[in-house]
Amino acid sequence: MEIIHVSAECYPVAKAGGLGDVVGALPKYQTKLGHIAKVIMPMYRTKFLYNNEWELVHEGGQALGSQHFHYSVIKEKSNKLGFDLYLVDINGLLDREKIYGYDDDTERFMSFQIAVCDWLSKWSHRPDVIHCHDHHTGMIPFMLKYCYGFNHLANIPTVFTVHNAQYQGWMGWDKSHYLPPWDTWKGGLIEWGSSINPLAAAVKNSWKVTTVSNSYLDELKYMSNGLEKLFEYEKGKSSGILNGIDNEVWDPQNDNLIAKNYDIEEVGKGKRKNKKELCGQFGLDIDKPLIVFIGRLVGEKAADLLPESISSSIYQHHGNANFLILGSGEPEVEGSLEHLKDQFKGYMNTYIGYSEPLSHLMYAGADFLLMPSRVEPCGLNQMYALRYGTVPMVRSTGGLKDTVTDFGDYQGFGIRFNNADVWDITYSVGRAIDLYNNKKELYGWMRNYMMTLDHSWDSSANQYISLYQSLK
Ligand code: ADP
């Protein structure tokens, strides 16, 4: 089959979170299964762009409302990622360093989607499926059906994956003229709550909808930032397919971003060397259990609870655990964490920012990975932690519930808690300290056991293929 993935992120080209990891890995595994998988994404000005060679494959022009724009499509020459990668360049809109966070994000992603549809409409053949990811590509299924310039592509099946329903790309009806000429009788198919809602449009118009875990699919029906009724209504065409991880990128045996490589035989020694490096860099005590957090410092991840939970844990458990936080996000949370680091020198430290190398070293060197998320569609961090022999401490929600069991349960290998609050986190820290200090054998067994679990894309990539095949 020929599968076209359209996304705002793809690792290692541009990544802000899990979406990048998924779109960087799934096409690679689909290619390994014998299919042709291609990724189309915006051409941001990232390192990957400058460090690789490209060929121009198409140039075109379209309109965004009353503004005409020119776009070009370039292709990476050497198949470096294991699949065909195409970048769409639109000067003045997509040529930025960051992926998101600009005032004109609506215009940027609308023009990107228009360019993608226009380019696809010029192909001499039809792909078997167009797979769109998150709201930045959510208007495509509608445009292919109801924009007059593209609707000769209406019989190409579309699949839409919801990686995160918190962000929906809302825009006012005053921006409806951004759409290329379309059948205005179909306005209801892009609307939700009296504005244009690209996520809702994708759910309404794509042939199939998937979410990145089964539990998240259930949760969306009662907690999806206003779209609950829509997810309930469209449940017939929706299914959950758990994300996998890229076992080649995330491999403690071959990871060149960590201090010491290790396999299951040497996990104890290997992790200790990495922990030593980490503790050395951040002034922490190698003999105490090290609990880390890696992620966006936002409400969804319950990052606002971290400062109080860390201080409460340090006081209640007499400083018997160390903490290290890597992330960036809400300024108040960043500020409180920075403040705490001076107060609890030697007990906690932070790195405010984004660092791929540090994240790898933390998965390898930490003893526990904390994820108190309020919302977690799938969550990849816990799966990376498992692969590196780091015990996940997670709130029972979404994909965390589907991938981590509690050590108190039969053959459990993690720590689970129910509420995103300071009390539950502090209590879980106590359980982690006890496990680490007093149940060394169990801790060792858990670590070895979880490293044998297979969370690679092999099985999920196949599930997507079956889904596409059902649309033929
Ligand atoms: P999200 O909701 O952010 O997509 P996921 O768990 O699905 O959450 O994926 C998060 C990905 O982003 C992981 O690969 C994680 O290691 C990475 N990540 C998040 N924040 C940072 C950071 N500050 N530095 C490095 N990597 C980060």
Side-chain angles (χ1 to χ4, degrees), residues 155-230:
N155 57 4
I156 305 178
T158 50
V159 171
F160 181 77
T161 296
V162 183
H163 296 259
N164 193 333
Q166 292 302 106
Y167 307 95
Q168 302 176 359
W170 311 267
M171 63 181 110
W173 272 103
D174 55 322
K175 301 207 165 157
S176 61
H177 66 296
Y178 286 169
L179 281 166
W182 58 290
D183 179 354
T184 49
W185 286 98
K186 297 292 188 294
L189 291 175
I190 51 175
E191 186 177 55
W192 195 259
S194 63
S195 56
I196 298 177
N197 184 319
L199 189 79
V203 173
K204 291 181 186 187
N205 292 285
S206 54
W207 293 31
K208 288 279 180 193
V209 174
T210 69
T211 63
V212 290
S213 70
N214 269 315
S215 292
Y216 189 53
L217 180 61
D218 289 340
E219 284 172 18
L220 287 173
K221 290 174 208 145
Y222 58 89
M223 197 178 61
S224 52
N225 214 357
L227 299 187
E228 296 77 11
K229 287 203 174 105
L230 179 63

Side-chain angles (χ1 to χ4, degrees), residues 15-19 21 164 243 250 294-296 300-301 326-328 351 353-356 359 363 371 376-382 384:
K15 162 178 163 184
L19 172 63
D21 285 341
N164 193 333
N243 283 338
W250 299 94
I294 300 169
R296 295 178 291 122
E300 264 176 79
K301 304 282 177 195
L326 163 64
S328 61
Y351 179 104
Y354 190 92
S355 168
E356 198 73 30
S359 73
Y363 289 117
M371 296 180 78
E376 197 59 82
C378 174
L380 294 168
N381 300 17
Q382 81 281 10
Y384 299 145

Side-chain angles (χ1 to χ4, degrees), residues 86-103:
Y86 297 91
L87 306 185
V88 176
D89 187 25
I90 303 176
N91 267 326
L93 285 169
L94 298 178
D95 51 345
R96 316 266 170 90
E97 274 176 30
K98 283 193 301 171
I99 305 173
Y100 317 112
Y102 298 100
D103 289 344

Side-chain angles (χ1 to χ4, degrees), residues 405-414 445-446 449 453:
T405 49
D406 190 89
F407 75 88
D409 299 333
Y410 177 66
Q411 292 211 325
F413 48 81
W445 174 86
M446 279 165 60
Y449 178 72
L453 300 172

Side-chain angles (χ1 to χ4, degrees), residues 105-359:
D105 277 356
T106 300
E107 286 73 18
R108 297 172 70 227
F109 290 108
M110 277 301 285
S111 58
F112 166 65
Q113 294 176 83
I114 294 169
V116 171
C117 292
D118 186 53
W119 179 43
L120 291 174
S121 75
K122 306 273 166 22
W123 285 21
S124 55
H125 73 284
R126 302 271 175 268
D128 294 294
V129 62
I130 298 176
H131 188 157
C132 299
H133 299 265
D134 270 357
H135 76 81
H136 324 96
T137 61
M139 298 300 284
I140 290 177
F142 176 84
M143 290 202 274
L144 295 179
K145 281 182 176 165
Y146 301 114
C147 286
Y148 301 119
F150 311 138
N151 63 6
H152 54 288
L153 305 180
N155 57 4
I156 305 178
T158 50
V159 171
F160 181 77
T161 296
V162 183
H163 296 259
N164 193 333
Q166 292 302 106
Y167 307 95
Q168 302 176 359
W170 311 267
M171 63 181 110
W173 272 103
D174 55 322
K175 301 207 165 157
S176 61
H177 66 296
Y178 286 169
L179 281 166
W182 58 290
D183 179 354
T184 49
W185 286 98
K186 297 292 188 294
L189 291 175
I190 51 175
E191 186 177 55
W192 195 259
S194 63
S195 56
I196 298 177
N197 184 319
L199 189 79
V203 173
K204 291 181 186 187
N205 292 285
S206 54
W207 293 31
K208 288 279 180 193
V209 174
T210 69
T211 63
V212 290
S213 70
N214 269 315
S215 292
Y216 189 53
L217 180 61
D218 289 340
E219 284 172 18
L220 287 173
K221 290 174 208 145
Y222 58 89
M223 197 178 61
S224 52
N225 214 357
L227 299 187
E228 296 77 11
K229 287 203 174 105
L230 179 63
F231 282 108
E232 173 62 34
Y233 184 75
E234 296 288 9
K235 64 183 174 196
K237 69 173 181 190
S238 309
S239 56
I241 300 180
L242 197 66
N243 283 338
I245 62 173
D246 188 333
N247 270 353
E248 290 168 15
V249 175
W250 299 94
D251 177 7
Q253 278 190 72
N254 294 304
D255 189 334
N256 55 18
L257 298 175
I258 64 178
K260 167 94 183 132
N261 290 117
Y262 57 93
D263 58 11
I264 195 161
E265 306 294 326
E266 293 207 309
V267 52
K269 267 198 215 151
K271 282 189 75 67
R272 194 154 172 92
K273 279 240 160 105
N274 287 295
K275 186 174 177 184
K276 194 171 170 201
E277 174 67 31
L278 207 51
C279 290
Q281 279 183 30
F282 289 94
L284 300 171
D285 182 346
I286 186 168
D287 291 322
K288 290 182 182 166
L290 176 61
I291 302 175
V292 302
F293 173 97
I294 300 169
R296 295 178 291 122
L297 299 176
V298 296
E300 264 176 79
K301 304 282 177 195
D304 50 304
L305 299 177
L306 288 174
E308 204 185 325
S309 305
I310 292 173
S311 44
S312 139
S313 296
I314 291 175
Y315 285 126
Q316 293 217 23
H317 305 302
H318 314 290
N320 280 327
N322 279 180
F323 296 86
L324 180 61
I325 313 293
L326 163 64
S328 61
E330 283 159 16
E332 312 85 76
V333 180
E334 291 184 358
S336 318
L337 288 168
E338 287 289 29
H339 177 72
L340 220 59
K341 131 177 163 185
D342 299 328
Q343 194 183 343
F344 292 117
K345 221 171 183 172
Y347 293 94
M348 78 85 79
N349 211 332
T350 55
Y351 179 104
I352 301 296
Y354 190 92
S355 168
E356 198 73 30
L358 178 57
S359 73

